[in-house]
Amino acid sequence: VMVYTENGIGEMSRIFHRFYNNNLIRGKYKTEKRPLLINSWEAAFFNFDDEKLVNFAKEAKKLGIEMLVMDDGWFGRRNDDKSSLGDWYVNEEKLKGGLSYLIERVNAEGLKFGIWYEPEMISPDSDLFRAHPDWHVHVDNRVPMLGRNQYVLDFSREDVRENICQQMYDVLSKNKIDYLKWDFNRNISDAGSALLPPDRKKEFFHRFILGTYEIMDRLTKAFPNILFENCSGGGGRFDAGMLYYTPQIWCSDNSDAIDRLRIQYGTSFGYPVSAMGAHVSAVPNHQTGRITPLHTRGVVAMSGTFGYELDLLKLTEEEKDEVRSQIGEFRKYAPLIQKGRYYRLTDPFKSEVCAWEIVGNSQEEVLLNVVMEEIHGNMTVNYVQLRGLDESALYKEQTTGRIYSGAALMHGGMPLPAEFGEYRAYQYHFVRE
C-alpha cells in the first residue's frame, strides 16, 4: 500500500485510515457497533472457574458492559503458561458443566461471550506435541528454541492447519461465541519446515503466512458473525494483511496508560483508531507498577476499541460510578472516534503534554484528548493548538458552555488547567454552533 500527499505525515496517516476502513476492513463489524467488553486476563490470569466468570458477568452487566471474554486457561490442562497449547478442548475441571453451559449462564445475565485462542502455538507438554513432535517450526539437527515455554506450529503444512482448524471449528460450531481473540505471543525462530527440501527452506516464512491466511479465511467465512481480534503480541503482527481478516488488533499486552500513549501514537501513523485494541486495566499496572487515575486510563483507551481488563469485583463504589460514566461517554463519542479524522497534536516521546484530536468529517464536532505526562515547578499554562477546524466557525465546549472560534482554537490554542499531579487527563468535546 502506497500513499502520496503534499500535506505532511498527518495527512498521510488520515489517507491510510480512510483507505483501510473503507477498502480493506470488511465483514459485519466494518460498520456495525462493536460490543464493549471485559476481558478476564488481568482480572484473573489463569486462576478462574465458571463461577468466577459468571460473577464477572453479573457485575459487568450492572456497569453497562456488553460482553465477557474468557482469556487464556480454558483448555487442556492449562493452569499456567507451561502446557496445553494445541489441545483445544474444554477443561471441564475449570468449567464445570462444559463451555455451552457457561455461555448460557453468561448470556442469561445479558452479556455476549468471547473466547481466547493461540492457534499457531504448541506446548511441549501437550497431547498434540506428544502425538506429532515434528509439527513445530524447527531446523533439523538443531536444538529448537523455546519462547514463553512454547514452540510455533508449522502452518506451512496442510496437515497441521487442518488439525488446528478442525479443533477450532468443533468448539466454535457447538457454542454461541460472539468474539475470538487470536493471540500470537512469540516470534518465530528456527525458521524451517520438515517438509521443505534444503534448496527451498527460504520459502518458509512466506508459506507460513499464507497458511495463516488460509485458516483465517476459512474461519471468518464459516463464522461471519464472530468479531475476530488479532493480537500483535510477541509476533509483532499489527499489519494490513491481518486487518483483512480481523477488523481490530490488540496493540500490546502492555496496558499501562502512559506507555499506551506512545504505543497508540506510533500505531496511528499507519492504522486507524477503529483497529487499535485498547483496554482500561488495573493499577498498580501489573507490568510497570505505575499508578494512573481511572479517568486517565479511560481517556487513553477510548482512542481505541475500548474495553476493560481488571477485576470489577474489586472496584470501589466510586470507581464503579466512574466506569459507568466512562461507558456513557464512550457510547456518546464512539461514532466520532471510530469514523472521524485523527490528528496527532504533540509527540509523547518529546513533550510533557500528550494531545490528540478527532474531528468529524464535516467539521461539526471535535473531541480533544490531553494527558499530562510531566509536571514541573513553576510551569506556565500549556496551550494545545487544534487542527482541521473551520476557522470561521464558532465551537461550544459542551461541559463548560464556553464558545471559541475555530481560528482561536487552531492558532491560539486551548488552555489547559494548571493543576498539580502527573498523569491527569482532560477531554473536551466541541460542537459547532
Side-chain angles (χ1 to χ4, degrees):
V1 178
M2 296 182 69
V3 161
Y4 170 78
T5 176
E6 60 185 13
N7 296 317
I9 291 177
E11 185 60 24
M12 178 203 75
S13 294
R14 289 184 285 279
I15 295 171
F16 271 124
H17 299 171
R18 289 194 299 272
F19 178 75
Y20 288 157
N21 273 325
N22 296 333
N23 302 93
L24 181 71
I25 293 172
R26 62 201 176 116
K28 174 181 176 179
Y29 287 101
K30 175 176 180 173
T31 56
E32 194 164 308
K33 176 185 172 295
R34 300 174 197 173
L36 200 158
L37 63 85
I38 174 74
N39 186 290
S40 71
W41 180 243
E42 291 187 33
F45 298 101
F46 295 104
N47 183 28
F48 65 83
D49 58 17
D50 51 321
E51 290 300 325
K52 180 176 281 191
L53 293 175
V54 171
N55 286 333
F56 285 162
K58 290 178 178 178
E59 193 61 43
K61 180 62 177 177
K62 295 176 187 175
L63 300 177
I65 294 171
E66 299 162 331
M67 181 163 65
L68 173 74
V69 175
M70 177 179 64
D71 209 279
D72 193 355
W74 60 267
F75 52 92
R77 295 179 297 280
R78 182 83 162 174
N79 294 306
D80 54 35
D81 65 359
K82 296 181 174 61
S83 79
S84 300
L85 291 171
D87 297 343
W88 300 110
Y89 55 85
V90 177
N91 181 345
E92 295 197 8
E93 291 183 11
K94 279 188 175 180
L95 307 183
K96 301 172 182 64
L99 181 57
S100 293
Y101 181 54
L102 169 64
I103 295 173
E104 288 172 8
R105 296 177 68 192
V106 170
N107 290 164
E109 298 298 333
L111 270 70
K112 296 182 177 182
F113 187 86
I115 198 168
W116 179 95
Y117 273 95
E118 195 169 8
E120 292 119 309
M121 301 295 163
I122 185 170
S123 303
D125 181 11
S126 66
D127 295 340
L128 188 65
F129 186 86
R130 284 182 282 272
H132 301 283
D134 64 327
W135 275 13
H136 70 291
V137 176
H138 67 282
V139 176
D140 292 339
N141 302 316
R142 292 186 187 177
V143 176
M145 182 181 294
L146 274 175
R148 291 174 51 95
N149 301 302
Q150 62 198 54
Y151 295 127
V152 182
L153 278 168
D154 185 356
F155 265 34
S156 72
R157 295 177 55 157
E158 184 177 2
D159 52 354
V160 175
R161 298 195 303 271
E162 191 59 39
N163 179 286
I164 297 300
C165 194
Q166 189 58 55
Q167 286 197 66
M168 295 178 71
Y169 186 89
D170 287 346
V171 173
L172 298 176
S173 62
K174 296 173 183 175
N175 295 281
K176 192 176 182 300
I177 291 171
D178 299 290
Y179 165 103
L180 191 151
K181 180 179 177 182
W182 188 303
D183 220 331
F184 192 84
N185 277 317
R186 63 153 291 183
N187 63 308
I188 297 176
S189 60
D190 311 292
S193 171
L195 297 190
L196 289 174
D199 61 333
R200 297 178 60 193
K201 293 290 189 187
K202 291 183 180 180
E203 298 175 15
F204 167 75
F205 273 111
H206 183 66
R207 292 185 177 278
F208 178 92
I209 294 299
L210 291 182
T212 297
Y213 287 165
E214 180 194 309
I215 290 191
M216 286 185 164
D217 190 59
R218 289 171 64 182
L219 291 174
T220 53
K221 285 178 177 174
F223 304 101
N225 292 320
I226 292 179
L227 171 56
F228 285 81
E229 178 180 87
N230 189 49
C231 198
S232 60
R237 21 183 236 198
F238 202 122
D239 62 64
M242 291 297 164
L243 277 182
Y244 181 69
Y245 300 102
T246 68
Q248 60 191 53
I249 305 174
W250 180 237
C251 279
S252 172
D253 279 344
N254 182 350
S255 58
D256 175 76
I258 304 307
D259 283 351
R260 274 294 183 125
L261 293 174
R262 301 177 179 99
I263 291 168
Q264 292 170 203
Y265 169 87
T267 306
S268 75
F269 279 82
Y271 298 95
V273 169
S274 63
M276 297 188 209
H279 296 165
V280 177
S281 61
V283 294
N285 182 269
H286 82 283
Q287 289 191 323
T288 66
R290 195 182 343 250
I291 297 174
T292 51
L294 181 55
H295 175 68
T296 299
R297 286 173 271 154
V299 168
V300 175
M302 279 189 204
S303 286
T305 57
F306 194 65
Y308 290 86
E309 192 142 352
L310 43 72
D311 189 344
L312 299 173
L313 302 174
K314 294 180 179 178
L315 297 180
T316 66
E317 289 303 316
E318 183 179 3
E319 289 172 328
K320 290 176 184 177
D321 287 341
E322 173 68 23
V323 168
R324 291 187 187 96
S325 175
Q326 286 178 357
I327 291 172
E329 293 292 291
F330 180 72
R331 286 188 174 135
K332 180 169 65 175
Y333 302 143
L336 173 63
I337 292 171
Q338 300 299 314
K339 300 300 181 183
R341 299 199 303 267
Y342 184 92
Y343 291 83
R344 295 177 294 271
L345 303 181
T346 65
D347 182 343
F349 290 93
K350 299 177 181 178
S351 174
E352 60 203 11
V353 177
C354 180
W356 65 99
E357 169 198 21
I358 302 171
V359 181
N361 290 318
S362 58
Q363 300 175 306
E364 80 293 345
E365 188 179 13
V366 186
L367 187 66
L368 171 63
N369 306 273
V370 183
V371 176
M372 297 298 300
E373 292 192 79
E374 297 179 9
I375 295 290
H376 304 288
N378 299 317
M379 285 183 70
T380 57
V381 173
N382 284 288
Y383 289 82
V384 175
Q385 292 177 311
L386 280 70
R387 298 178 194 163
L389 307 185
D390 180 346
E391 291 194 27
S392 64
L394 297 177
Y395 290 87
K396 178 185 282 189
E397 203 287 306
Q398 297 300 290
T399 301
T400 63
R402 292 176 181 165
I403 296 176
Y404 305 82
S405 72
L409 289 170
M410 292 178 68
H411 300 293
M414 182 69 183
L416 303 180
E419 292 187 289
F420 290 110
E422 292 176 320
Y423 312 141
R424 292 179 182 271
Y426 306 98
Q427 201 166 48
Y428 302 98
H429 182 216
F430 301 89
V431 175
R432 186 163 59 185
E433 286 283 273

